[in-house]
């Protein structure tokens, strides 16, 4: 247990909690206070920690994702989709007009996404909120954002190729959560650069 | 006051609070319980609400931004920069190695940003956190994110051209906060589309 804690960087009480909650399999008991853990445990711990600490998922949500990834007939895309859907904040409902615009945009872009992808509602909600504050979201702005998002997503997906499901799932959490922060920061830096140039003209 | 509340969509007690805190100028008193408000008040209210409710700024932070925008010698780029800096979460410190990578990236991109732009620290922190979870942020990923961010920022800045400072500041808040949500949602949609295609190959 001490070695597993060292190897994974997760404190022993947290490891015991994850095992008790079924997020990580128990070690093979070899003596009264001894158990053997292997690479599979280290990987399972990394995934549990990524989902709970970085992704902010509840224990129940994390278990659902982990069980799905471990299912013998698991389809890789569906499994990673479940990770991603669990990470996407569900903003409730969005105005009908905004939802229609999202549907039209996706059709125009030719993107294949499932109708229950929560990101579609999240996008419609952002468009609705912008409209409420008096900022008109024209198609040109939406398409620029979509082009930006696609550039980032291609780089993301290239980093998942050839990885086994658990390790790919850790990357999905890390890239989605921290990638959002990185892209947000880079957009603000690019805005300052662009504003500076605009005032030079 | 009732009319101002109707026009701006801000409740009367909130308007009185903003006036008391110096975020919005008081109306010109015409009788004991009457005051005249004009378009300037409607604009000031929109700005105060965008900063406080949407941007999540404290009253003191909002007042600093508003005072700066209203200063007679205010430089437009500096003013909008102050709005943006106030909206950027300050994540404290970032690992030295990650900060160096951000500096090198900005130099390679040729972006003109001030050394105190908090987004640079925010980016370094995200890179550091990714490394801690075992995801290597290679230059190719960073450059893809930067290209994505620049595409979005160009569309953002085009929407500020020719607007007066207060109205441009409302747009900066709206585009930064809600634009982050929109781009995050679009990236997840694009990831699903790209993953689906990758599994078709």
């Amino acid at each position: 247990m001490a070695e597993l804690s060292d190897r994974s960087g997760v404190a022993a009480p947290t490891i015991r909690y994850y095992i008790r909650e079924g997020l990580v399999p128990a070690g093979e008991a070899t003596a009264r206070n001894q158990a053997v853990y292997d690479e599979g445990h280290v990987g399972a711990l990394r995934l549990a920690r990524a989902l709970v600490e970085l992704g902010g998922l509840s224990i129940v949500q994390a278990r659902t994702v982990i069980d799905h990834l471990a299912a013998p007939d698991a389809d890789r895309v569906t499994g990673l989709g479940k990770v991603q859907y669990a990470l996407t904040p569900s903003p409730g409902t969005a105005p009908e007009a905004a939802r229609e615009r999202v549907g039209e945009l996706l059709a125009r872009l030719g993107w294949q996404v499932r109708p229950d992808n929560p990101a579609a509602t999240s996008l419609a909600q952002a468009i609705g909120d912008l409209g409420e504050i008096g900022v008109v979201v024209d198609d040109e702005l939406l398409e620029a954002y979509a082009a930006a998002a696609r550039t980032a997503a291609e780089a993301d997906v290239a980093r998942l190729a050839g990885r086994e499901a658990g390790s790919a799932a850790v990357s999905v959490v890390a890239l989605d959560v921290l990638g959002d922060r990185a892209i947000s920061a880079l957009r603000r830096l690019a805005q300052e650069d662009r504003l500076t140039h605009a005032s030079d003209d």
Side-chain angles (χ1 to χ4, degrees), chain A residues 170-186:
Chain A
V170 173
S171 293
V172 168
V173 181
L175 290 172
D176 276 2
V177 175
L178 296 169
D180 274 356
R181 272 169 48 194
I183 294 167
S184 165
L186 281 162

Side-chain angles (χ1 to χ4, degrees), chain A residues 1 4 15 19 24-42:
Chain A
M1 175 59 77
L4 182 62
I15 298 178
I19 292 175
V24 171
E28 200 188 327
T30 52
R32 216 170 69 90
N33 274 317
Q34 287 278 15
V36 174
Y37 299 95
D38 60 21
E39 275 311 304
H41 289 94
V42 176

Side-chain angles (χ1 to χ4, degrees), chain A residues 3-4 10 18 24 33 35 41 43 55 70 74 76 80 89 105 117-118 123-124 137 142 150 153 164 167:
Chain A
E3 213 184 302
L4 182 62
V10 181
Y18 285 165
V24 171
N33 274 317
H41 289 94
R76 183 184 158 84
L80 295 180
L105 175 71
N117 190 321
L123 174 59
V137 187
L142 269 186
R150 185 171 158 139
E164 54 83 26
S167 150

Side-chain angles (χ1 to χ4, degrees), chain A residues 88-153:
Chain A
T88 304
S90 300
T93 56
E96 185 55 34
R99 281 195 294 157
E100 269 171 30
R101 291 202 56 202
V102 171
E104 286 161 15
L105 175 71
L106 292 174
R108 225 157 50 229
L109 296 166
W111 289 2
Q112 289 179 33
V113 293
R114 262 174 290 185
D116 64 332
N117 190 321
T121 309
S122 182
L123 174 59
Q125 187 91 45
I127 294 173
D129 287 355
L130 275 162
E132 216 167 279
I133 212 147
V135 177
V136 179
V137 187
D138 52 284
D139 283 345
E140 209 183 323
L141 183 69
L142 269 186
E143 277 162 27
Y145 282 179
R150 185 171 158 139
T151 300

